[in-house]
Amino acid sequence: MSLSRRAALVYAGAAAAFGLFPGAARAQIEGVAAAPEAGADPKAFGPERHGLSAFGELKYAPDFKHFDYVNPDAPKAGSFSQVPPTTSLNQSLTTFNTLNAYILKGDGAQGMGLTFDTLMARASDEPDALYGLVAKSVAVSGDGLAFLFKLRPEARFHDGSPLTADDVKWSFETLKAKGHPLVAQTIRDLEAVDIEAPDSVVLRLSKHRTRDLPLTLAALPIFSKAYYAKKSFDEATMEAPLGSGPYKVGRLAQGRFIEFERVPDYWAKDLPVNIGQNNFERVRFEFYRDRDVAFEAFKGKGYLFREEFTSRVWATGYDFPGVREGKVRRETLPDLTPSGAQGWYFNMRRKKFQDIRVRKALNLAFDFEWMNKNLMFDAYKRTWSVFQGAPEMMASGKPEGAELALLEPFRGKVPDEVFGDPVVPPVTDGSGQDRKLLREAIALLKDAGYAVKDGRATNAEGEALTIEFLEFDPGLDPHVSKYISSLKVLGIQANIRLVDAAQYQQRTNTFDYDVISRRMSGSETPGESLRQIYSSESADRPGSQNASGIANPAVDALVEKIVAAASRDELETACRALDRVLRALWTWIPAWNKGSHTLAYWDAYGHPTEKPRFARGAPEIWWWDEEKAAKAGVKA
């Protein structure tokens, strides 16, 4: 199985704001770069442009009609239903108790982003490109610290009230002051939002701002200032907020399902960024606390679309009548996005995980080869890099040239392995308990001060080494249970603690755990996101994605090199150096990955022949096919 369905968290910053998508062929059409323009007047704005990207490269010309990957004639009909595939900010995979998905409190409902518009919208066939939505154009100052957005006068909220620069200003200032800590931290270098006119707003950034901050801001939701005049933004609530996007909240049952209804007179439905998209009359998310129950519901048409994350189910579970009768289709689509750092994270805020020898010993006891063969039908490959799936950013060989120059100041301050071939997880003999590796693990624990007494690894203070794996879903129990049996050989007492989604959210927000499983999915153009996951400043911030509590000066410095990179070559070099250091610190147990989407759905849908390079495409550009639906015996 994959960790994705269980505890997937996207990188913060631009990636979280507008999705995850790695590199494509470099663009042909000039856009506005998020970086300063050499030799330009620092305060003067350049020409107005229709798009924005990290390095100024855009695929689509100003007069483009629609994105290449959509069907511009897709019908507007039917419904799309699924269980939540990933989470972001305060969302849960198994429940929800608030429609405010942009604060720390509560479990946010999936899909709320469908109800809000943004200044610009992403293109899913480019690595980091945005095109005008609420904003018809953007211009950047010569120093790259001010961005002038001209708004479309026709932009409207669902109640018909105009969406103005005043709403943009209020939204960004409120998110910075009261939004989820991940959002607030990401946009902290937004110094001011100046209103030039009702349809013009200038975002002024700190000179320390990250390269991707302008893209992040352009992809943030815009709220109605008037709506919140008598309401508190930072409270959990089941009242649907006023939006301006292609959908609005429809029927729901707290913790069970939520529907979003297409807005027929949506003000932006004919803009190029929306043609061929948002094709369903209803988009619905179903919530189940048990994955087996969820699968049974799919068999019974309780929902119609499913991305399968459990290899056992994919290999053996799809032999039910709907499949045999040809009413359920299965497709495997390439997933070209970086799979990122997927695995189990040690909470190094706790003393027992602060010794690198202990963390390395725990890695030696993990038998991926046995698990892949016996539990996962050999469907996966081992993950070893924090940038897995983005080869240009993954360390390889010994560091040299510019990469070595970045690392030299830390020689003697980071593990010596940093200056050799990059660390990779051990390869076992596949027996389930590789004796050679377990002997090495015992030796490391002994060096760290742990001796096995009465079958328990105990230090000089008499403290036994114990581990609790915190989970909210039992899907990984077979894998963790097998791992626990190997830990027992080392004298380590371990157990799985299964809690409900709300308690899991609260405990992870406050770092009350030993080990958690998580997938940190990434983008091809990382920046501020890395501060959220690996920097010292995020280590103790409630709600932070820094699951391991990493607080390392070398990591901090390399993250800042990535953030400040002026070219893609500089970015990739600094990423390789960071990858090398993080792998040598052994702060996690890398899990596994696969480069595909395994999809199953009741055959009621149509979709373009090729999916966009950097997105799954469903439901955004799929559509309802009435003829197919009738044959499959399903209704919208």
Side-chain angles (χ1 to χ4, degrees):
M1 63 160 294
S2 164
L3 300 184
S4 305
R5 171 66 180 90
R6 305 182 56 265
L9 289 174
V10 294
Y11 281 178
F18 55 81
L20 307 171
F21 36 100
R26 296 295 168 244
Q28 309 91 344
I29 306 298
E30 180 185 4
V32 175
E37 184 180 346
D41 183 340
K43 301 302 179 184
F45 286 104
E48 294 182 11
R49 303 287 186 180
H50 67 297
L52 179 68
S53 73
F55 298 109
E57 301 164 333
L58 295 176
K59 172 182 177 180
Y60 294 96
D63 60 349
F64 81 102
K65 302 302 181 184
H66 55 76
F67 294 131
D68 290 345
Y69 51 83
V70 305
N71 172 11
D73 300 317
K76 306 294 185 184
S79 65
F80 186 95
S81 53
Q82 65 175 334
V83 292
T86 59
T87 63
S88 180
L89 302 180
N90 69 347
Q91 292 175 341
S92 166
L93 292 170
T94 61
T95 190
F96 69 96
N97 53 34
T98 177
L99 299 185
N100 190 342
Y102 297 95
I103 60 173
L104 184 61
K105 296 178 182 177
D107 295 304
Q110 293 271 340
M112 289 304 296
L114 295 169
T115 70
F116 299 110
D117 272 329
T118 56
L119 288 172
M120 309 192 89
R122 74 174 176 115
S124 295
D125 56 351
E126 298 181 76
D128 53 18
L130 298 173
Y131 295 88
L133 180 52
V134 169
K136 61 183 178 181
S137 68
V138 58
V140 64
S141 62
D143 60 6
L145 299 180
F147 287 74
L148 170 62
F149 291 91
K150 293 288 184 69
L151 309 188
R152 300 183 194 273
E154 66 268 31
R156 291 287 185 275
F157 289 102
H158 293 154
D159 65 354
S161 60
L163 191 163
T164 68
D166 205 25
D167 296 300
V168 176
K169 176 180 174 68
W170 186 90
S171 298
F172 292 2
E173 291 177 346
T174 300
L175 284 168
K176 183 178 178 181
K178 299 180 178 181
H180 192 284
L182 294 179
V183 178
Q185 182 189 7
T186 300
I187 66 174
R188 66 191 181 285
D189 287 331
L190 171 64
E191 289 193 334
V193 183
D194 294 337
I195 297 176
E196 302 280 301
D199 65 347
S200 298
V201 62
V202 176
L203 308 184
R204 301 193 184 278
L205 314 182
S206 162
K207 63 180 180 179
H208 304 295
R209 63 91 168 175
T210 61
R211 177 192 55 257
D212 54 346
L213 178 57
L215 283 75
T216 301
L217 293 167
L220 286 178
I222 301 171
F223 307 108
S224 166
K225 178 182 178 181
Y227 172 82
Y228 282 103
K230 296 182 180 180
K231 302 178 187 297
S232 176
F233 177 81
D234 56 353
E235 291 296 328
T237 176
M238 289 301 294
E239 178 181 322
L242 178 62
S244 60
Y247 290 88
K248 61 182 179 181
V249 175
R251 298 190 309 144
L252 60 85
Q254 181 176 323
R256 293 177 51 210
F257 75 88
I258 183 169
E259 287 185 350
F260 296 89
E261 300 173 351
R262 193 172 69 85
V263 177
D265 58 350
Y266 172 44
W267 73 271
K269 61 183 174 62
D270 296 323
L271 292 181
V273 294
N274 283 324
I275 295 296
Q277 306 203 57
N278 309 312
N279 300 317
F280 296 101
E281 292 296 335
R282 290 182 307 283
V283 174
R284 177 174 170 127
F285 292 90
E286 295 279 356
F287 294 83
Y288 299 90
R289 296 183 183 274
D290 183 277
R291 64 175 56 237
D292 292 330
V293 173
F295 186 49
E296 292 303 315
F298 173 73
K299 293 179 183 179
K301 306 177 188 176
Y303 58 97
L304 301 182
F305 178 96
R306 176 181 176 87
E307 180 163 5
E308 185 56 70
F309 294 109
T310 303
S311 55
R312 170 184 55 81
V313 175
W314 186 250
T316 66
Y318 286 85
D319 186 26
F320 55 92
V323 177
R324 293 194 297 269
E325 295 166 6
K327 296 179 179 180
V328 171
R329 292 195 61 185
R330 296 206 296 167
E331 289 191 50
T332 300
L333 303 180
D335 180 2
L336 302 178
T337 60
S339 62
Q342 175 171 302
W344 285 266
Y345 288 78
F346 305 119
N347 185 0
M348 298 191 302
R349 302 168 188 85
R350 298 192 166 176
K351 179 182 176 182
K352 57 188 170 185
F353 297 121
Q354 291 172 1
D355 192 315
I356 193 172
R357 293 168 294 188
V358 172
R359 302 195 300 271
K360 185 174 181 179
L362 294 173
N363 268 274
L364 290 171
F366 187 83
D367 195 335
F368 165 75
E369 284 68 29
W370 186 93
M371 292 182 191
N372 196 34
K373 179 180 179 180
N374 292 277
L375 300 177
M376 301 185 294
F377 296 83
D378 283 325
Y380 291 90
K381 296 179 179 179
R382 187 73 191 268
T383 291
W384 61 81
S385 168
V386 300
F387 296 110
Q388 196 75 35
E392 302 87 355
M393 293 185 275
M394 295 168 59
S396 63
K398 293 179 174 61
E400 56 185 28
E403 183 184 349
L404 180 59
L406 290 177
L407 294 168
E408 277 295 352
F410 307 106
R411 192 180 287 273
K413 302 175 183 178
V414 295
D416 293 341
E417 291 89 339
V418 167
F419 296 92
D421 290 327
V423 166
V424 294
V427 178
T428 73
D429 61 11
S431 66
Q433 290 188 349
D434 187 312
R435 294 184 179 183
K436 178 179 179 294
L437 293 179
L438 290 175
R439 283 196 297 269
E440 291 179 25
I442 290 171
L444 283 168
L445 291 174
K446 184 177 180 180
D447 288 345
Y450 286 94
V452 178
K453 298 178 182 179
D454 299 324
R456 307 191 73 177
T458 308
N459 63 17
E461 289 75 37
E463 299 168 332
L465 181 54
T466 62
I467 300 176
E468 179 181 272
F469 292 85
L470 184 66
E471 303 286 358
F472 68 91
D473 182 316
L476 282 177
D477 282 4
H479 309 72
V480 177
S481 295
K482 178 59 183 175
Y483 180 42
I484 287 174
S485 70
S486 295
L487 294 179
K488 189 175 181 180
V489 176
L490 306 181
I492 299 171
Q493 303 299 308
N495 69 285
I496 301 170
R497 178 68 181 276
L498 188 66
V499 299
D500 63 36
Q503 187 178 358
Y504 183 88
Q505 185 88 326
Q506 189 275 330
R507 288 186 60 174
T508 54
N509 282 343
T510 58
F511 313 117
D512 181 16
Y513 54 83
D514 283 344
V515 178
I516 58 172
S517 58
R518 184 160 288 184
R519 176 186 177 189
M520 302 293 188
S521 299
S523 81
E524 160 110 339
T525 312
E528 173 64 31
S529 56
L530 299 179
R531 284 178 175 165
Q532 305 281 357
I533 302 172
Y534 300 120
S535 71
S536 300
E537 66 185 51
S538 66
D540 295 314
R541 179 177 289 108
S544 163
Q545 292 188 45
N546 191 339
S548 291
I550 296 171
N552 183 287
V555 171
D556 291 343
L558 292 170
V559 166
E560 294 310 308
K561 289 290 185 181
I562 294 168
V563 167
S567 69
R568 195 163 292 275
D569 284 344
E570 286 184 22
L571 174 86
E572 292 169 353
T573 298
C575 284
R576 289 194 296 271
L578 176 64
D579 185 40
R580 198 178 292 275
V581 171
L582 288 170
R583 288 159 67 173
L585 291 174
W586 295 94
T587 62
W588 59 314
I589 301 173
W592 45 79
N593 66 89
K594 63 182 178 69
S596 62
H597 297 285
T598 43
L599 309 180
Y601 56 92
W602 287 87
D603 194 13
Y605 300 125
H607 62 76
T609 303
E610 294 187 12
K611 77 175 189 67
R613 181 176 173 86
F614 307 125
R616 190 179 71 177
E620 294 84 5
I621 62 172
W622 286 36
W623 61 87
W624 183 262
D625 188 311
E626 193 65 52
E627 184 177 346
K628 287 184 176 180
K631 292 180 180 178
V634 296
K635 297 181 179 180

